[in-house]
Amino acid sequence: MLGDPTTRTADPTLDPTLDPTAAQITLAERYAAHNYHPLPVVAAEAEGAWVTGVDGRRYLDCLAGYSALNFGHRHPAILAAAREQLDRLTLISRAFHHDQFGAFCAELAGLVAASNPMSSTGSVTGAEASPGVMVLPMNTGAEAVETALKLARKWGYERKGVPDGQATIVVAAGNFHGRTITIVSFSDDPDARDHYGPYTSGFVTVPYGDAGAVADAIDDTTVAVLIEPVQGEAGVIVPPEGYLREVRRTCTERGVLLLADEIQAGLGRTGTTFACDREGVVPDLYILGKALGGGVVPVSAVAGSPDVLSVVRPGQHGSTFGGNPLACAVGRAVVGLLTDGSYQRRAAALGTVLTERLNALLGKGLVGVRTAGLWAGIDVDPALGTGRDICSTLAERGVLAKDTHGSTIRLAPPLVIEQADLEWAVDQLADVLATR
Ligand SMILES: *Cc1c(COP(=O)(O)O)cnc(C)c1O
């Protein structure tokens, strides 16, 4: 059954010397490409912030699918929307309309418009959404980033008058925007980039957090500045206060689009609907993904200025699955959860607790703590081991977290986590650091 019977005789799941965890890991290592290096936890079930392994062990999820699970595992409202939609219509393609599409776009537009202080309507209920925002749904985060880049280039040629083929986009050092060839072309992480060339040209990299460097990089060919309002993959790097406002001001003055990659930082994570809200900044395009799919299906979108979104006409961009009925139903449930601000407030309140507790570990095994809402990047004293060593020990104690670079660990629990559970996770971390 498994592969070629002449070379693959033993099914590890039938091997009595292997426990269920080891059997599943053996299967994965034998048949799946090794493009990840997972910790030895095999999830079987989950609810809220808690995951159960195939061995029956329980784990507190402090990664939340890199923020794809902001509302926890299997949130009842999201599951109900998905189930209802599964029973009605799951796919039709964009060759036709369907009854979730317009509503999803309108409701997401409403959520975005509510973050715009200039917007006349603070309502985030579909029908009343400000026509000042339009939406283009896709599936994965990388596709949404690609969409924003395509829109920005086309806008540059057709609206700004940049000579065709010469558009440039300013990006930040340390960025993470996904894995396509164009996106890794402007990554400075050798693992993400090396040996995937020839690369896409037209990108200029400046240091992150330095608004002056953005201004200096802009010239007549510049169509956009693409930034993460908080850099997630880089280790939850929070830019200096005022950076986003200054970049926004520069972009407006110079007639350049601001593209905010909110895929990981947005949708409640930082204590506000969008991370740009922390500085009252409205980008020309929000790039959304991860939590927009409610932990159920991949859903991403670009949302923003109709002046930009209107540059694509029929046939000029698309996706077979983008905006499908199931994705839209799930996306509507997610937007619904963010409408009254309660998850955002919860992220902010729990984030304060997390920040205080982590700061207390500075000098006690931690050498750096950066937080934004319920999101933390912590630097472990390298003398205590690598980030991976610490995460392995945490997993043994029932806490799921992931190292990012070297000795940095990212903590991004679901926003539904109970405060007592969050504090228990920090207790485990404190113990691990104290006993190494
Ligand atoms: C995860 C992520 C992406 C890519 O999303 P995928 O769904 O993995 O393609 C892009 N930008 C940021 C900031 C991310 O965190």
Side-chain angles (χ1 to χ4, degrees), residues 17-163:
T17 67
L18 292 179
D19 62 44
T21 302
Q24 293 300 329
I25 292 173
T26 303
L27 267 183
E29 285 180 347
R30 189 181 295 169
Y31 292 103
H34 294 187
N35 58 328
Y36 280 87
H37 185 199
L39 290 162
V41 171
V42 180
E45 289 176 28
E47 185 172 359
W50 288 89
V51 175
T52 307
V54 286
D55 52 1
R57 288 199 55 189
R58 303 237 303 149
Y59 300 90
L60 183 61
D61 189 351
C62 289
L63 179 64
Y66 306 97
S67 282
L69 290 157
N70 278 1
F71 307 99
H73 295 268
R74 300 170 54 246
H75 188 288
I78 297 171
L79 282 198
R83 286 200 178 104
E84 197 186 315
Q85 195 58 40
L86 279 174
D87 286 336
R88 294 202 303 115
L89 177 72
T90 55
L91 193 67
I92 184 75
S93 91
R94 293 288 309 277
F96 311 97
H97 291 272
H98 65 77
D99 65 5
Q100 298 298 304
F101 184 77
F104 169 60
C105 294
E107 287 161 18
L108 182 57
L111 187 74
V112 167
S115 281
N116 184 346
M118 305 302 286
S119 156
S120 53
T121 167
S123 165
V124 289
T125 52
E128 296 144 45
S130 161
V133 177
M134 287 174 87
V135 169
L136 198 168
M138 295 296 280
N139 310 284
T140 65
E143 286 175 300
V145 172
E146 288 272 347
T147 300
L149 298 174
K150 288 172 81 174
L151 287 167
R153 283 182 170 184
K154 208 163 193 305
W155 174 88
Y157 299 131
E158 295 179 2
R159 301 281 155 84
K160 194 178 167 172
V162 172

Side-chain angles (χ1 to χ4, degrees), residues 140-143 145 176-178 228 261 263-264 290:
T140 65
E143 286 175 300
V145 172
F176 181 83
H177 297 288
E228 296 159 86
D261 182 347
I263 290 169
Q264 195 169 153
K290 292 203 164 102

Side-chain angles (χ1 to χ4, degrees), residues 340-372:
D340 74 357
S342 55
Y343 284 98
Q344 294 88 321
R345 284 191 293 277
R346 188 175 174 84
L350 290 174
T352 304
V353 173
L354 181 64
T355 304
E356 279 170 12
R357 294 285 322 266
L358 292 174
N359 280 337
L361 298 177
L362 280 169
K364 294 181 180 156
L366 295 187
V367 295
V369 172
R370 298 167 297 279
T371 61

Side-chain angles (χ1 to χ4, degrees), residues 138-141 143 289-290 292-300 321-324 327:
M138 295 296 280
N139 310 284
T140 65
E143 286 175 300
K290 292 203 164 102
L292 193 58
V296 178
V297 282
V299 184
S300 68
F321 288 94
N324 72 72

